[in-house]
Amino acid sequence: MTGVCGCCGALRPRYKRLVDNIFPEDPEDGLVKSNMEKLTFYALSAPEKLDRIGAYLSERLSRDVARHRYGYVCIAMEALDQLLMACHCQSINLFVESFLKMVRKLLESDKPSLQILGTNSFVKFANIEEDTPSYHRSYDFFVSRFSEMCHSSYEDPDIRTNIRMAGIRGLQGVVRKTVNDELQANIWDPQHMDKIVPSLLFNLQSEEGTERYASSRSPSPLQASEKEKESPVELTERCFRELLGRAAFGNIKSAVTPVLMHLDNHSLWEGKTFAVRCFKIIMYSIQSQHSHLVIQQLLGHLDANSKNSATVRAGIVEVLLEAAAIAASGSVGPTVLEVFNTLVKQLRLSVDYELTGSYDGSTNIGTKIIKAHEERQLQEAVIRTIGSFANTLPTYQRSEVMLFIMGKIPVPGVSLTLPSSDSGPEVTRMIQIMLLKSLVQVTAGFQTTNMLTALPSSFLEPLLSFSLTEDPEIRLLVLEILLSLIDRHVNRPKFSRISIVSDISVLKLKLDKCSRQDNLFMKKHGQQLYRHIYLNCKEETSAQEHYETLFALLGLLSVELANEEVVVDLIRLALALQDLALCTDEPLPTYNRCAVHALAAAYLNLICQLTTVPAFCQHIHEVIEVRRKEKPYLLPEDVFAQKPKLPSSLDKIDADVLFLQSKITEVLGGSGYNTERLGTPYVPQYTDEDRLSKRKSIGETISIQMDVESRNSPEKKERTPAEEITFETLKNAIVDSVGMEEQERERRRQVVEKFQKAPFEEIAAHCGARATMLQSKLNQIFEITIRPPPSPSGTISSGYGQTQSRSVPIYEMKFPDLCVY
């Protein structure tokens, strides 16, 4: 009886008859629409039959696929799609299982047309929002299959492109279906992202789109309309953006890690172009508050590749540079110093690799040849990246970064923590140069209203100590940093060349009244700045760029930080520079002497016009005119020409071509300036930082020791009792403080000069005399201590009722056990 029922169509279940009726006799006629409407109405009226309808359609589709009746396969999938779009009931889950089973059957086929048909049906299903959740549905197969389709290598290029695009759309559908459903398998798990992201990057790398950059944030992929003719690269980029746009805070790492692995595995860092493009897409697609997470991952990846080739590290640094430029201000994150610590560490490692030629003796890559020019390119990229990061920071954080980098610069004579145990002076020098170049980038465009907070002593003093080194490149970098920090009104370009400007109004200098904070800064650090300017002019290795930078520094001090007292000190400094060029005791070449004369002339010409004292200006201009006629090589136009015409020597210079301190004191005194201070020659004060910043002679070292010892000598007179302090005493102390300070400086200068120029025999005799004096003092002490103390053996009675101590040799004395060691 069962067999009879199976053969009679009228006795078959109604849902099967309705399903059979939608299939025409000729598959080319397509789906029978009227019968499809009946089937849809039946499914809506009896939703409990929906799962059976789906199972029967799945059965027919499997049979048609096996029999290669692909026309009926297409009709079955069309019917499934229509039922899926029409039915939204609780029974939909069971129907979906049958639907996904059929899609899986199509994707497993080796026919490209069936794979594309199954993908299109899955994409339609992915766009449906289900009313009820599914606890048991799995998309693992679809992730794997769509990823495989993205890597299709079909022979026909058109079919290969269609298969790859179908795979991309399928992955997009999986992401849409699962990313917001907490009950589904987590699509952000590494097992899924390690398939999805590389598949997208593989298609993004297509030659059709390598020249097209993601230079601006595109419209939301959810809102973008599907293009009829969209290239695989465009579709991939849109899908990649949608994936990243859906990433929450905790999923950024899951999305970025496969990108880093893909770039590593396919050696795509070295070309830079594709890597930069990928991370531009990432930075523009993720939420802006998550940008620092991407940057931290890049920094960690840079650390992990610290022993890789320079081109790979340079590619990562280049990507960091672009990412920092895209990131909004302050989005580097809470660990700002960690960013700069990583970059500074890479800079130091690169310098060490370049000069030592090895990666710390690592066995696995020790055979690699380190190319110096590639390391140099990496160092330049790191320096640019440090500057790019610093430009995104607020002022207070940039000050912290400046202090941090300054603390990383190795100081001669101080224990260093260098990457290699065999690091020598050249490694130290290169690290100093690279970190100072980084500081130049960090301080570029730095703006502050309070110089005391922007330039604390902990930063300024070590910075100035480097300006006294013998290396001219280091001194020039220090001067550039000072210019960037002091220039707050963009006056630096107006002092780019040393020249005699007859009317400084053409420079259009931006002048501002000196604030109280500026006055305090100059009162605290002014003498340090003057001293370092003076000592820089004494260097024999200074070239034209050094003098131009020194002129710019003097000019900026006059414009940005000058009050009446500072102006007086700067004029004294300029006159001291003139005396330095005249001094025959200094071993300066003729070019340097002429350059210092020209520097002093150019600066006095500038400062006299800033003070607007007519008599002062007249004297300066008269001397300049005499120099133009008689000794043009003392002016900047001749000294700093391409082919300067210099005399063989400067033994004799007439007074009429010199700026006279007495004349300047007289004319400025009439305008209310401090004549006593103006009349006192400027003498720089030597400090202990010279010993750290520059190799000094034996004579200078001894002089410093002698100076310290002379203060502590036992021959020094005892301190006089404290005198009574009255108002008159305080008044006299204030008046005499300047003179006493200058006398002290002069005394120090004489001591240093004595030990610099005295012959060796005289210094040796002096040291011998001190040794003799020291021996005599020791003898006196020994005599006092050797006088017989009260003897432990008792006393001896003498006549007249007195007791006399009996002298016992020390070796015969009996000491308590606790006194013997």
Side-chain angles (χ1 to χ4, degrees):
M1 191 68 183
T2 305
V4 175
C5 291
C7 295
C8 296
L11 298 177
R12 301 180 69 198
R14 186 182 179 190
Y15 73 89
K16 286 188 177 181
R17 284 184 277 123
L18 290 173
V19 170
D20 290 338
N21 291 338
I22 66 174
F23 291 94
E25 293 183 2
D26 186 0
E28 293 184 1
D29 294 340
L31 183 68
V32 180
K33 294 183 179 180
S34 59
N35 292 336
M36 185 65 214
E37 291 175 0
K38 294 178 183 178
L39 177 62
T40 303
F41 179 78
Y42 177 76
L44 292 172
S45 303
E48 68 276 2
K49 301 290 185 180
L50 192 58
D51 57 330
R52 299 185 184 183
I53 295 172
Y56 184 60
L57 274 171
S58 177
E59 180 186 339
R60 285 204 55 152
L61 183 137
S62 300
R63 185 168 64 244
D64 292 336
V65 169
R67 296 176 180 177
H68 304 288
R69 300 166 64 178
Y70 300 126
Y72 288 123
V73 171
C74 295
I75 292 172
M77 289 308 300
E78 185 179 354
L80 281 169
D81 292 342
Q82 291 191 22
L83 286 173
L84 200 62
M85 299 295 291
C87 301
H88 293 280
C89 59
Q90 293 182 355
S91 303
I92 191 71
N93 280 332
L94 296 177
F95 177 72
V96 168
E97 293 302 323
S98 301
F99 169 79
L100 292 178
K101 182 179 178 182
M102 286 182 279
V103 172
R104 180 170 183 166
K105 188 74 175 179
L106 294 179
L107 292 177
E108 288 174 342
S109 171
D110 57 353
K111 293 288 184 181
S113 58
L114 295 184
Q115 295 175 16
I116 295 172
L117 177 64
T119 302
N120 293 337
S121 294
F122 182 83
V123 171
K124 292 176 183 177
F125 161 69
N127 292 326
I128 296 175
E129 293 185 8
E130 300 182 50
D131 296 333
T132 56
S134 174
Y135 298 92
H136 58 281
R137 196 180 302 161
S138 173
Y139 294 97
D140 294 356
F141 166 80
F142 296 101
V143 172
S144 300
R145 183 57 184 152
F146 289 139
S147 299
E148 185 181 343
M149 291 171 65
C150 289
H151 292 84
S152 173
S153 57
Y154 201 83
E155 294 179 359
D156 189 317
D158 293 334
I159 296 177
R160 181 172 64 241
T161 299
N162 291 334
I163 294 175
R164 289 184 179 181
M165 292 183 69
I168 296 167
R169 286 196 298 269
L171 289 176
Q172 188 178 30
V174 172
V175 171
R176 287 180 180 178
K177 198 66 181 172
T178 60
V179 74
N180 292 325
D181 191 348
E182 296 179 358
L183 297 174
Q184 297 293 346
N186 190 359
I187 199 68
W188 302 106
D189 286 344
Q191 59 177 338
H192 300 309
M193 297 308 293
D194 289 347
K195 297 174 184 177
I196 295 174
V197 174
S199 301
L200 296 177
L201 295 180
F202 175 77
N203 286 276
L204 194 64
Q205 199 179 344
S206 172
E207 295 181 0
E208 299 175 13
T210 51
E211 298 179 358
R212 200 172 64 84
Y213 274 74
S215 58
S216 61
R217 194 183 293 271
S218 68
S220 171
L222 297 176
Q223 298 174 357
S225 60
E226 291 282 341
K227 297 180 180 179
E228 294 180 0
K229 294 182 180 180
E230 194 172 28
S231 71
V233 174
E234 293 171 335
L235 177 62
T236 303
E237 182 175 328
R238 189 160 55 83
C239 181
F240 193 32
R241 287 179 180 274
E242 179 178 348
L243 174 67
L244 295 166
R246 293 174 180 269
F249 179 85
N251 301 327
I252 296 294
K253 184 177 180 180
S254 302
V256 175
T257 300
V259 177
L260 299 174
M261 293 175 59
H262 182 83
L263 296 174
D264 285 343
N265 296 335
H266 297 274
S267 302
L268 296 173
W269 292 112
E270 298 179 6
K272 300 180 185 178
T273 304
F274 181 71
V276 169
R277 181 186 179 199
C278 285
F279 276 89
K280 278 189 172 182
I281 293 175
I282 292 172
M283 295 302 292
Y284 280 124
S285 300
I286 63 174
Q287 300 176 43
S288 59
Q289 66 267 27
H290 300 158
S291 298
H292 68 278
L293 297 175
V294 179
I295 291 173
Q296 286 177 0
Q297 275 196 267
L298 282 169
L299 290 169
H301 198 66
L302 181 60
D303 264 345
N305 287 272
S306 59
K307 293 184 180 179
N308 213 324
S309 66
T311 51
V312 171
R313 285 177 283 138
I316 300 174
V317 170
E318 199 72 31
V319 170
L320 268 170
L321 176 64
E322 296 293 337
I326 295 171
S329 177
S331 67
V332 178
T335 55
V336 175
L337 293 183
E338 287 185 15
V339 173
F340 291 93
N341 186 38
T342 300
L343 293 173
V344 168
K345 183 170 71 174
Q346 291 299 321
L347 197 59
R348 298 178 68 154
L349 284 172
S350 178
V351 171
D352 197 49
Y353 295 160
E354 178 189 351
L355 296 178
T356 59
S358 67
Y359 293 104
D360 279 337
S362 180
T363 55
N364 57 343
I365 54 175
T367 57
K368 285 189 175 182
I369 299 175
I370 296 179
K371 298 179 181 178
H373 71 279
E374 292 181 352
E375 293 292 344
R376 287 293 177 92
Q377 291 175 356
L378 168 64
Q379 292 157 17
E380 293 173 2
V382 172
I383 290 170
R384 289 197 309 271
T385 305
I386 288 175
S388 179
F389 270 109
N391 289 334
T392 66
L393 299 177
T395 302
Y396 74 94
Q397 280 189 325
R398 202 189 289 200
S399 298
E400 291 179 3
V401 171
M402 288 159 47
L403 280 170
F404 175 78
I405 296 176
M406 178 57 68
K408 294 290 183 180
I409 303 178
V411 179
V414 180
S415 60
L416 305 176
T417 307
L418 294 176
S420 173
S421 58
D422 299 328
S423 299
E426 184 61 22
V427 175
T428 302
R429 174 185 171 274
M430 285 300 299
I431 291 175
Q432 288 174 341
I433 290 175
M434 292 302 163
L435 293 180
L436 286 172
K437 284 183 177 179
S438 303
L439 271 178
V440 171
Q441 291 288 328
V442 172
T443 55
F446 183 75
Q447 297 289 335
T448 181
T449 55
N450 192 339
M451 294 295 293
L452 278 173
T453 56
L455 283 173
S457 300
S458 55
F459 175 80
L460 187 61
E461 290 178 1
L463 177 66
L464 291 177
S465 70
F466 286 108
S467 72
L468 302 180
T469 58
E470 296 175 345
D471 193 306
E473 186 175 359
I474 291 178
R475 296 202 309 272
L476 188 61
L477 289 171
V478 171
L479 292 173
E480 290 288 347
I481 293 168
L482 285 173
L483 290 179
S484 298
L485 294 170
I486 295 175
D487 183 20
R488 295 173 294 177
H489 296 88
V490 200
N491 287 315
R492 168 73 175 90
K494 297 159 187 176
F495 298 116
S496 57
R497 291 179 62 255
I498 305 182
S499 59
I500 305 294
V501 181
S502 57
D503 185 6
I504 63 170
S505 61
V506 298
L507 298 177
K508 297 181 180 179
L509 297 171
K510 296 179 181 178
L511 304 175
D512 199 1
K513 186 178 180 181
C514 193
S515 65
R516 180 175 176 274
Q517 290 84 359
D518 295 341
N519 291 335
L520 291 174
F521 173 79
M522 290 306 293
K523 192 177 290 291
K524 184 176 181 180
H525 299 295
Q527 294 300 324
Q528 284 180 289
L529 294 171
Y530 308 148
R531 172 175 170 272
H532 285 79
I533 292 172
Y534 181 87
L535 295 179
N536 265 276
C537 291
K538 287 181 66 175
E539 294 291 340
E540 301 176 32
T541 55
S542 293
Q544 178 176 343
E545 57 265 25
H546 291 84
Y547 294 111
E548 289 177 345
T549 313
L550 287 168
F551 174 71
L553 181 56
L554 286 167
L556 288 177
L557 286 174
S558 307
V559 174
E560 299 281 351
L561 301 169
N563 53 26
E564 186 176 312
E565 183 179 345
V566 172
V567 168
V568 169
D569 286 338
L570 288 171
I571 294 173
R572 291 173 60 226
L573 175 60
L575 294 172
L577 294 178
Q578 178 180 258
D579 295 339
L580 171 66
L582 291 171
C583 181
T584 56
D585 296 336
E586 294 291 341
L588 281 176
T590 303
Y591 171 79
N592 295 69
R593 293 182 185 277
C594 293
V596 173
H597 275 296
L599 171 63
Y603 178 67
L604 287 172
N605 173 71
L606 172 69
I607 196 68
C608 75
Q609 296 184 60
L610 289 174
T611 56
T612 63
V613 178
F616 183 27
C617 295
Q618 182 181 357
H619 172 66
I620 300 299
H621 292 155
E622 286 175 356
V623 174
I624 290 174
E625 288 301 321
V626 174
R627 287 189 179 187
R628 280 204 177 102
K629 295 176 183 178
E630 299 180 6
K631 298 185 184 297
Y633 50 80
L634 299 182
L635 293 176
E637 286 76 11
D638 274 39
V639 178
F640 302 116
Q642 290 185 348
K643 295 181 179 180
K645 297 179 181 179
L646 303 177
S648 57
S649 65
L650 291 176
D651 294 337
K652 186 178 180 181
I653 296 181
D654 298 332
D656 56 348
V657 295
L658 298 176
F659 304 100
L660 303 178
Q661 186 157 5
S662 58
K663 179 68 174 176
I664 294 174
T665 303
E666 179 185 346
V667 297
L668 288 179
S671 298
Y673 286 87
N674 188 338
T675 55
E676 184 177 354
R677 192 171 182 84
L678 273 170
T680 306
Y682 173 78
V683 179
Q685 180 180 0
Y686 288 88
T687 63
D688 290 344
E689 68 178 316
D690 296 337
R691 291 182 295 159
L692 293 177
S693 59
K694 185 177 177 181
R695 188 183 73 249
K696 310 301 287 184
S697 67
I698 296 175
E700 288 174 345
T701 306
I702 295 175
S703 71
I704 294 172
Q705 294 174 351
M706 289 293 296
D707 185 41
V708 174
E709 290 170 358
S710 65
R711 292 172 177 268
N712 301 325
S713 173
E715 293 182 349
K716 203 165 181 66
K717 295 181 180 180
E718 294 182 0
R719 294 183 179 178
T720 58
E723 62 185 73
E724 184 181 358
I725 298 176
T726 62
F727 173 77
E728 194 66 22
T729 307
L730 292 174
K731 180 179 178 183
N732 294 335
I734 294 172
V735 172
D736 297 340
S737 61
V738 176
M740 292 294 292
E741 182 181 357
E742 297 296 339
Q743 290 176 10
E744 177 68 15
R745 290 180 184 173
E746 180 64 20
R747 188 187 68 79
R748 287 175 174 269
R749 189 186 67 79
Q750 290 174 358
V751 171
V752 173
E753 185 176 359
K754 174 184 175 182
F755 281 87
Q756 281 180 327
K757 299 177 181 178
F760 177 78
E761 292 77 12
E762 183 179 341
I763 296 175
H766 181 78
C767 292
R770 291 193 68 257
T772 304
M773 180 170 42
L774 176 63
Q775 186 61 45
S776 66
K777 292 296 180 184
L778 288 174
N779 291 337
Q780 293 177 17
I781 295 171
F782 291 151
E783 288 176 4
I784 295 172
T785 57
I786 291 174
R787 283 180 183 175
S791 174
S793 61
T795 58
I796 301 175
S797 298
S798 63
Y800 310 104
Q802 295 179 347
T803 59
Q804 181 180 357
S805 298
R806 183 162 65 100
S807 178
V808 179
I810 296 177
Y811 58 84
E812 291 182 1
M813 292 183 182
K814 295 181 180 179
F815 294 95
D817 292 341
L818 293 176
C819 296
V820 180
Y821 176 69

